[in-house]
């Protein structure tokens, strides 16, 4: 069953790495015991977003069968038999099915580490631009510069801007709560979705390493890709229309822009401390 880039269901696993596969019972058929996942845990159909109690059924003798959604009559999660590389490619293409698979049908708890690493990448890029704007031929000057706290300051600024961006999104969705969802917003899940969908910031490092005349254009494209991923993450997590998702992203950008403007005003007083905003345009 492992063809066309698919890994196939394996007895005792039934999913790609990180997936908690649901199991069920059928009348008159011997089945294995359920997984350690909580019985109240609900999965989602990647096609219609309907809740499902299981992703596949594990019959005796290692016979596995993917569960069919009762609503759309399609497999609840076809990605449980796909290789991780195929899933990653679909996520890069911003396919809603891949996002539902990652957010609802897997147990990925690396969003915190991913957030810190992305902030480090962004801080390094800003520090690199700041260092480049004050380049000196004296090697001792670079050593002295490296010992300063500019990198940590860039990390703090990037963290504040991202916090402002998320705050704008959460504020808009909280105000529009009667429209976006019938139940209370799951802010923890939404935050996880936004952090995971910001993985595009990792491409900033290659853009700096292979420096060329088109680096500013690459940075703008990376920014656009991250915003598109965040847009899709909000839409999939809350199951709302594209208009509300777009307005949520726009609200976040407005609050983030206000934070950037604040640091620009501070640059008038502290001189080169915030010079990054004078040399950066994305």
């Amino acid at each position: 069953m492992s063809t066309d880039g698919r890994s196939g269901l394996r007895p005792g696993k039934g999913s790609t790495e990180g997936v908690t596969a649901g199991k069920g019972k059928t009348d008159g058929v011997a089945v294995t015991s359920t997984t350690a996942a909580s019985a109240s845990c609900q999965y989602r159909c990647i096609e219609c977003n309907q809740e499902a109690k299981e992703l596949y059924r594990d019959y005796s003798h290692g016979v596995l069968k993917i569960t069919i959604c009762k609503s759309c009559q399609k497999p609840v999660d076809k990605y449980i038999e796909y290789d991780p590389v195929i899933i990653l490619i679909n996520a890069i293409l911003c396919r809603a099915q891949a996002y539902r698979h990652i957010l609802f049908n897997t147990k990925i708890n690396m969003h915190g580490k991913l957030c810190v690493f992305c902030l480090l990448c962004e801080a390094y890029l800003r520090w690199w631009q700041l260092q480049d704007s004050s380049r000196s031929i004296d090697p001792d000057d670079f050593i002295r510069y490296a010992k300063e706290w500019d990198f940590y300051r860039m990390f703090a600024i990037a963290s504040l801007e991202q916090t402002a961006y998320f705050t704008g999104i959460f504020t808009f969705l909280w105000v529009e709560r009667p429209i976006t969802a019938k139940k209370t917003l799951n802010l923890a899940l939404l935050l996880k979705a936004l952090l995971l969908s910001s993985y595009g910031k990792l491409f900033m490092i290659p853009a700096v390493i292979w420096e060329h005349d088109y680096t500013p254009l690459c940075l703008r494209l990376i920014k656009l890709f991250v915003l598109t991923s965040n847009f899709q993450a909000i839409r999939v997590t809350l199951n709302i229309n594209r208009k509300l998702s777009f307005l949520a992203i726009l609200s976040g950008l407005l609050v983030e822009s206000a934070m950037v403007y604040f640091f620009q005003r501070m640059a008038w007083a502290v001189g080169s401390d915030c010079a990054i905003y004078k040399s950066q345009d994305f």
Side-chain angles (χ1 to χ4, degrees):
M1 187 172 167
S2 177
T3 58
D4 299 332
R6 303 186 179 186
S7 60
L9 293 174
R10 299 178 179 87
K13 295 182 180 179
S15 61
T16 57
E17 184 178 357
V19 177
T20 301
K23 300 180 181 179
K25 297 182 179 180
T26 54
D27 296 335
V29 180
V31 298
T32 60
S33 59
T34 59
T35 60
S38 173
S40 60
C41 178
Q42 295 292 325
Y43 304 103
R44 295 288 183 89
C45 173
I46 64 172
E47 301 293 341
C48 64
N49 202 43
Q50 291 296 318
E51 293 185 350
K53 295 182 179 180
E54 58 188 8
L55 299 179
Y56 69 90
R57 295 189 179 186
D58 188 354
Y59 297 84
S60 59
H61 306 295
V63 178
L64 305 176
K65 182 179 180 181
I66 298 179
T67 303
I68 301 300
C69 178
K70 297 180 180 179
S71 177
C72 63
Q73 301 301 315
K74 295 181 179 180
V76 172
D77 192 345
K78 63 181 180 181
Y79 287 113
I80 63 175
E81 59 173 349
Y82 277 56
D83 289 328
V85 175
I86 303 299
I87 299 175
L88 178 60
I89 293 175
N90 280 265
I92 293 176
L93 295 175
C94 292
R95 294 181 62 88
Q97 293 88 342
Y99 275 74
R100 292 191 183 103
H101 167 78
I102 295 173
L103 295 175
F104 298 118
N105 300 338
T106 65
K107 284 189 175 180
I108 298 180
N109 297 318
M110 58 176 293
H111 51 282
K113 297 179 181 179
L114 181 63
C115 173
V116 174
F117 193 72
C118 288
L119 288 175
L120 288 174
C121 292
E122 189 169 354
Y124 171 76
L125 175 62
R126 298 183 180 201
W127 176 85
W128 172 78
Q129 290 181 329
L130 185 63
Q131 181 269 332
D132 186 68
S133 63
S134 59
R135 189 180 299 276
S136 174
I137 59 175
D138 186 3
D140 293 334
D141 183 71
F142 179 78
I143 296 176
R144 178 190 62 79
Y145 185 91
K147 293 181 179 179
E148 295 179 357
W149 289 80
D150 292 320
F151 176 80
Y152 300 102
R153 183 165 61 253
M154 294 300 103
F155 180 83
I157 291 174
S159 302
L160 290 174
E161 288 183 7
Q162 180 168 279
T163 301
Y165 173 67
F166 288 163
T167 300
I169 293 176
F170 291 149
T171 301
F172 173 82
L173 294 175
W174 183 264
V175 172
E176 297 294 332
R177 183 175 51 173
I179 301 177
T180 57
K182 297 180 180 179
K183 56 184 179 180
T184 305
L185 292 177
N186 190 340
L187 296 181
L189 179 61
L190 180 58
L191 178 61
K192 176 182 177 180
L194 288 173
L195 293 177
L196 288 176
S197 60
S198 298
Y199 67 93
K201 294 181 179 180
L202 298 178
F203 295 116
M204 290 181 176
I205 295 299
V208 174
I209 295 177
W210 289 287
E211 179 187 2
H212 50 77
D213 296 336
Y214 299 100
T215 297
L217 176 61
C218 292
L219 297 179
R220 292 187 180 93
L221 292 177
I222 291 173
K223 180 69 173 180
L224 179 62
F225 175 75
V226 172
L227 293 177
T228 304
S229 299
N230 292 158
F231 167 85
Q232 191 73 302
I234 295 174
R235 177 170 168 261
V236 168
T237 304
L238 302 180
N239 195 28
I240 59 179
N241 56 49
R242 292 181 174 85
K243 179 180 178 181
L244 289 176
S245 299
F246 175 78
L247 291 177
I249 294 295
L250 183 60
S251 299
L253 286 176
L254 290 176
V255 178
E256 182 184 15
S257 299
M259 181 67 69
V260 172
Y261 178 75
F262 170 76
F263 285 117
Q264 286 178 334
R265 295 294 299 270
M266 288 188 62
W268 297 345
V270 298
S272 62
D273 285 349
C274 294
I276 183 65
Y277 295 101
K278 298 178 181 178
S279 61
Q280 176 179 308
D281 183 23
F282 72 95

